[in-house]
Amino acid sequence: MFSYRHAFHAGNHADVLKHLVLIATLRHLMLKPPAITLVDTHAGAGLYRLDGDFADKGGEAEHGVVRLFAAQRPASGPAPASTPLLDDYLDLVAGFNPSGSLRVYPGSPFVIQQLMRHESRDRLKLFELHPTDGKTLSANIAQLDAGRAVVVKREDGFEGLKPLLPPPADAKGSRRALVLIDPSYELKSDYAKVSACIQDAIKRFATGTYVVWYPVIPRTEAHDLPRKLRGHAQRAGRPWLHATLAVGHPPLAPDERPGLTASGMFVINPPHTLSAALAETLPLLVKVLGRGRGQGHTLESGEG
């Protein structure tokens, strides 16, 4: 159960999609002043070296965030057409690389932390079970000197989420929460756990914003997950949004495997601005990151 290391995949096309959705969602939620309880159930190490051994072995960032930067932030000549959401994402990543060379990629914990508001007393809870990544995450977070605002727990995020919902109320009785659920799905049981987790979370706190990442792969469980999540949202009378990004793959040799070519994001109680932001950004991602047969995107949403 401790074999997965996100460092091999950091900055790939799936991270690009996940973090674009996360940024767009957080930006909107933070327009209102009440504090937000933020939870990442599978936090990973938090920060990743794009020039380290893990990235060299996987090379996935080269076809993700590195390619995106090269296309959208060229060293010379005019910058091509972009979108506010894509610029926001690239600016955030660039902030971790002041030298101008992409060497560090922020995982979801640091994407969230960058957008937290100290004046509103936002709180971030991070869960990571992997012993090495959990230790690295704790060390990375310690450098922030964030105190009680950011807490790392080496626990099962599915179980650790339960006592956090509903979140505590502020002085005016407002309760707000955003939960990111993005396990590795190396175990088939993760799909069922995600579905059960969302079902339970909605019962505990129906108005929370729940953001789920999942791989689009030829596996029944992966195909069924967004359908199950949509069902949970509809039965609870909550709005939802579902987006996928497929980069495709070039012709393969008989013994080659394409690796992960597509992923999806499912959001329950999404901001009303999210659909429009993705509608203008997803086609651009396909244009820049697409690499062969099967590339494309989907975007759908519905009311509860």
Side-chain angles (χ1 to χ4, degrees):
M1 67 181 294
F2 291 136
S3 63
Y4 179 84
R5 304 293 300 280
H6 190 68
F8 289 107
H9 314 286
N12 67 0
H13 59 85
D15 264 359
V16 172
L17 174 64
K18 175 168 59 178
H19 294 149
L20 280 165
V21 171
L22 190 57
I23 290 170
T25 301
L26 283 168
R27 287 293 191 197
H28 183 83
L29 291 179
M30 291 180 177
L31 292 176
K32 295 182 179 181
I36 307 175
T37 295
L38 305 156
V39 184
D40 189 340
T41 61
H42 296 76
L47 291 173
Y48 304 95
R49 297 289 304 192
L50 297 182
D51 56 356
D53 291 341
F54 289 112
D56 287 343
K57 290 178 182 178
E60 295 185 24
E62 290 295 327
H63 301 289
V65 66
V66 175
R67 177 182 290 186
L68 196 57
F69 254 93
Q72 298 301 121
R73 304 283 173 91
S76 60
S82 187
T83 71
L85 174 55
L86 183 54
D87 285 339
D88 199 359
Y89 166 74
L90 294 176
D91 287 344
L92 187 147
V93 175
F96 286 85
N97 298 274
S99 69
S101 177
L102 282 182
R103 296 180 178 178
V104 175
Y105 189 80
S108 301
F110 276 77
V111 170
I112 297 172
Q113 190 276 331
Q114 284 289 297
L115 302 182
M116 289 173 64
R117 306 156 304 163
H118 300 292
E119 68 278 6
S120 293
R121 304 180 71 85
D122 296 333
R123 294 292 182 264
L124 174 58
K125 311 293 184 181
L126 303 171
F127 294 91
E128 180 51 53
L129 265 180
H130 192 287
T132 303
D133 283 352
K135 183 178 180 179
T136 303
L137 176 64
S138 294
N140 286 332
I141 293 297
Q143 296 181 46
L144 296 173
D145 195 23
R148 296 181 180 179
V150 183
V151 176
V152 177
K153 295 188 176 183
R154 298 184 194 178
E155 302 175 11
D156 181 341
F158 291 125
E159 292 299 318
L161 174 63
K162 293 178 180 180
L164 299 179
L165 299 176
D170 65 9
K172 296 183 179 180
S174 176
R175 299 179 188 269
R176 307 177 73 206
L178 177 140
V179 179
L180 172 64
I181 304 174
D182 60 339
S184 68
Y185 297 96
E186 277 201 317
L187 301 175
K188 288 185 179 182
S189 58
D190 278 350
Y191 296 93
K193 287 182 178 180
V194 169
S195 177
C197 181
I198 287 294
Q199 186 176 32
D200 179 77
I202 293 175
K203 290 179 180 179
R204 293 173 184 268
F205 187 54
T207 58
T209 297
Y210 301 101
V211 181
V212 176
W213 175 88
Y214 72 97
V216 176
I217 56 177
R219 176 179 283 180
T220 301
E221 294 86 355
H223 176 77
D224 288 345
L225 181 59
R227 178 181 58 80
K228 291 180 178 179
L229 297 178
R230 183 169 60 248
H232 295 327
Q234 291 173 335
R235 283 188 290 274
R238 310 310 305 178
W240 56 272
L241 179 145
H242 180 211
T244 65
L245 172 66
V247 298
H249 59 84
L252 301 172
D255 59 342
E256 277 189 296
R257 293 185 177 183
L260 182 66
T261 63
S263 66
M265 294 293 289
F266 198 98
V267 186
I268 295 175
N269 294 320
H272 67 86
T273 52
L274 182 57
S275 182
L278 290 176
E280 66 175 357
T281 303
L282 286 172
L284 183 52
L285 292 183
V286 175
K287 179 181 178 181
V288 176
L289 301 182
R291 58 192 187 201
R293 184 167 58 89
Q295 60 184 282
H297 73 277
T298 65
L299 179 63
E300 57 180 345
S301 59
E303 297 300 320

